[in-house]
């Protein structure tokens, strides 16, 4: 059985063909980063238009590289939320069109469940229960994956997502969009102990907050500018990154201790950050716990993770019908699609 999965929730047009054993036959990602860079962030209307243009080529490329034709595809999967509504609609409509034309099963996938599945692709031996830290441009949360499709939300951000904070700080440092990878690069030359920032307080110890850290960096830059000084960008980047990494990992390790969970899975775009990956491994080693890190290219948005989620849901008999719509703010759900958030 072959699944063709499509992902268009933000600014990447991605497709993947996977078989029912989880083997990736081909995958492609067409990024719009260069287009949005001019504006310093994703422009939703432009993103939708670019998805429409790219989709036929990305799907054709995936089919060609897998050496199959559309008629060989047994089921179609697509991300239907959360994300930018126009961008999601492009993928959802395209996938529905293919299902109608070919009379094949169709399944809608939650973008965050896709990210969670990225680590199951990289580590097929990853077993539940485990703790999953999702850190992307749109989400930052701690999810206890108790059993397949059984998610318990332990904590989430009250304001900015971790990736959003990286992007905003990078922007004031004059770095291009998306800022995360550029900030990481700049931080290599900096002193991570140059500046100290206060840890945010949240009522729930497993919750996150990144707007305070972002604002602290901004006010540091502003007050330096008032005094005619230019603080070292590399030092700011390194200090911000070190704090962001600690703020992400501390609640995760606390939750593992409190709930007796041995394995931490890191997923989402921010988990491509090498300082975060290294620190997670060091902390886990000290506490005799395991950390699972996805392949670098599976951290940021891709369709392989969507195909993996689809493969698992199709295997338990789930299907979506063609009335499925794009849902820009969608809670994560379990096996019966009952919301967990
Ligand atoms: O998961 P993703 O591709 O898209 C969302 O679902 O949001 O995550 C994108 C986010 C961006 O904010 C980007 O700056 C961040 O992930 N990111 C990084 C790194 N690579 C990507 N943040 C820090 N360090 C990186 N190396
Ligand atoms: Zn994502």
């Amino acid at each position: 059985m072959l699944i063709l999965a499509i992902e268009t929730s933000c600014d990447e047009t991605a497709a993947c063909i996977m078989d029912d054993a989880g083997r990736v036959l081909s995958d492609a990602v067409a990024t719009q980063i260069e287009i949005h860079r001019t504006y310093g962030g994703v422009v939703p209307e432009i993103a939708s238009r670019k998805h429409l243009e790219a989709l036929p080529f990305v799907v054709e490329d995936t089919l060609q590289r897998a050496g199959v034709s559309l008629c060989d595809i047994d089921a179609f999967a697509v991300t239907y939320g959360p994300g930018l509504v126009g961008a999601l609609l492009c993928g959802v409509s395209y996938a529905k069109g293919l299902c109608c034309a070919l009379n094949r099963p169709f399944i809608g996938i939650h973008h965050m469940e896709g990210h969670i599945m990225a680590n199951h692709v990289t580590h097929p031996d990853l077993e539940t229960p485990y703790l999953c830290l999702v850190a992307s441009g749109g989400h930052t949360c701690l999810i206890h994956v108790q059993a397949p499709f059984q998610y318990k939300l332990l904590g989430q951000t009250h304001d900015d997502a971790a990736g959003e904070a990286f992007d905003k700080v990078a922007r004031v440092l004059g770095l291009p969009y998306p800022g995360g990878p550029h900030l990481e690069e700049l931080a290599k030359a900096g002193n991570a102990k140059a500046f100290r920032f206060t840890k945010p307080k949240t009522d729930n110890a497993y919750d996150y907050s990144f707007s305070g850290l972002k604002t602290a960096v901004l006010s540091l830059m502003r007050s330096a500018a008032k005094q005619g000084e230019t603080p070292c960008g590399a030092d700011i980047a390194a200090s911000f990154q070190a704090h962001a990494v600690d703020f992400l990992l501390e609640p995760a390790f606390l939750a593992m201790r409190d709930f007796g969970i041995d394995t931490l899975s890191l997923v989402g775009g921010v988990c491509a950050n090498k300082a975060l990956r290294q620190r997670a491994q060091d902390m886990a080693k000290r506490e005799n716990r395991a950390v699972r890190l996805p392949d670098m290219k599976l951290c940021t948005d891709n369709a392989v993770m969507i195909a993996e989620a689809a493969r698992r849901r199709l295997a338990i008999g789930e299907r979506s019908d063609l009335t499925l719509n794009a849902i820009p703010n969608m809670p994560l759900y379990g096996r019966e699609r009952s919301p967990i958030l």
Side-chain angles (χ1 to χ4, degrees), residues 116-166:
I116 294 171
M117 290 300 154
N119 245 339
H120 287 279
V121 177
T122 305
H123 305 280
D125 61 337
L126 175 61
E127 276 185 17
T128 57
Y130 64 84
L131 184 71
C132 189
L133 168 57
V134 185
S136 68
H139 296 96
T140 299
C141 57
L142 271 182
I143 296 170
H144 188 182
V145 185
Q146 297 170 319
F149 311 112
Q150 201 177 311
Y151 305 112
K152 184 161 193 273
L153 180 77
L154 299 184
Q156 61 185 324
T157 182
H158 286 254
D159 37 60
D160 290 355
E164 205 178 337
F166 268 90

Side-chain angles (χ1 to χ4, degrees), residues 7 9 111 115 136-137 268-269 299-301 305:
E7 153 66 44
S9 66
H111 183 73
H115 275 300
S136 68
C299 290
T300 44
D301 290 348
M305 65 189 199

Side-chain angles (χ1 to χ4, degrees), residues 33 37 40 135-137 161-188 237-238 240-242 244-245 268-276 296 300:
I33 283 176
R37 188 162 280 163
S136 68
E164 205 178 337
F166 268 90
D167 293 343
K168 287 176 179 168
V169 169
R171 196 174 173 167
V172 298
L173 289 172
L175 300 171
Y177 171 84
H182 297 280
L183 189 145
E184 177 178 1
E185 197 49 41
L186 180 63
K188 284 184 189 159
F240 162 80
Q241 178 176 268
V245 164
V270 179
C271 299
N273 185 282
K274 293 195 193 67
L276 174 66
M296 292 297 267
T300 44

Side-chain angles (χ1 to χ4, degrees), residues 245-246 249 274-284 286:
V245 164
D246 275 351
L249 292 177
K274 293 195 193 67
L276 174 66
R277 294 167 83 96
Q278 187 58 53
R279 180 109 176 95
Q281 277 169 328
D282 293 345
M283 286 173 80
R286 242 192 344 255

Side-chain angles (χ1 to χ4, degrees), residues 11-271:
D11 59 347
E12 323 279 2
T13 315
C16 167
I17 297 174
M18 181 181 271
D19 69 12
D20 51 358
R23 206 164 58 93
V24 176
L25 273 69
S26 66
D27 75 292
V29 181
T31 181
Q32 304 176 4
I33 283 176
E34 289 304 327
I35 298 157
H36 297 289
R37 188 162 280 163
T38 323
Y39 308 96
V42 179
V43 182
E45 174 64 12
I46 296 177
S48 316
R49 287 171 192 273
K50 293 295 161 192
H51 282 309
L52 279 184
E53 283 171 24
L55 265 167
F57 296 100
V58 171
V59 168
E60 185 54 38
D61 180 42
T62 333
L63 290 165
Q64 266 187 20
R65 284 193 289 123
V68 299
S69 75
L70 268 179
C71 298
D72 299 318
I73 303 297
D74 301 290
F76 291 88
V78 68
T79 307
Y80 72 112
L84 302 170
V85 69
L88 290 164
L89 270 172
C90 296
V92 169
S93 312
Y94 197 88
K96 279 191 198 174
L98 291 173
C99 289
C100 277
L102 297 159
N103 195 23
R104 296 286 196 278
F106 169 62
I107 187 153
I109 296 296
H110 192 290
H111 183 73
M112 216 193 297
E113 182 169 75
H115 275 300
I116 294 171
M117 290 300 154
N119 245 339
H120 287 279
V121 177
T122 305
H123 305 280
D125 61 337
L126 175 61
E127 276 185 17
T128 57
Y130 64 84
L131 184 71
C132 189
L133 168 57
V134 185
S136 68
H139 296 96
T140 299
C141 57
L142 271 182
I143 296 170
H144 188 182
V145 185
Q146 297 170 319
F149 311 112
Q150 201 177 311
Y151 305 112
K152 184 161 193 273
L153 180 77
L154 299 184
Q156 61 185 324
T157 182
H158 286 254
D159 37 60
D160 290 355
E164 205 178 337
F166 268 90
D167 293 343
K168 287 176 179 168
V169 169
R171 196 174 173 167
V172 298
L173 289 172
L175 300 171
Y177 171 84
H182 297 280
L183 189 145
E184 177 178 1
E185 197 49 41
L186 180 63
K188 284 184 189 159
N191 172 10
K193 295 202 167 102
F195 302 100
R196 289 188 76 82
F197 303 111
T198 325
K199 191 177 177 329
K201 280 200 182 71
T202 51
D203 290 342
N204 171 4
Y206 317 120
D207 272 351
Y208 290 103
S209 169
F210 284 98
S211 74
L213 177 59
K214 171 200 71 190
T215 310
V217 174
L218 302 190
S219 25
L220 185 118
M221 304 272 293
R222 259 186 235 122
S223 51
K226 263 190 202 154
Q227 288 159 20
E229 292 166 8
T230 317
C232 169
D235 284 351
I236 294 182
S239 303
F240 162 80
Q241 178 176 268
H243 284 76
V245 164
D246 275 351
F247 296 171
L248 277 170
L249 292 177
E250 276 169 20
F253 278 82
L254 178 69
M256 285 204 286
R257 275 175 235 126
D258 290 354
F259 292 90
I261 307 168
D262 293 329
T263 305
L264 175 65
S265 166
L266 294 184
V267 299
V270 179
C271 299

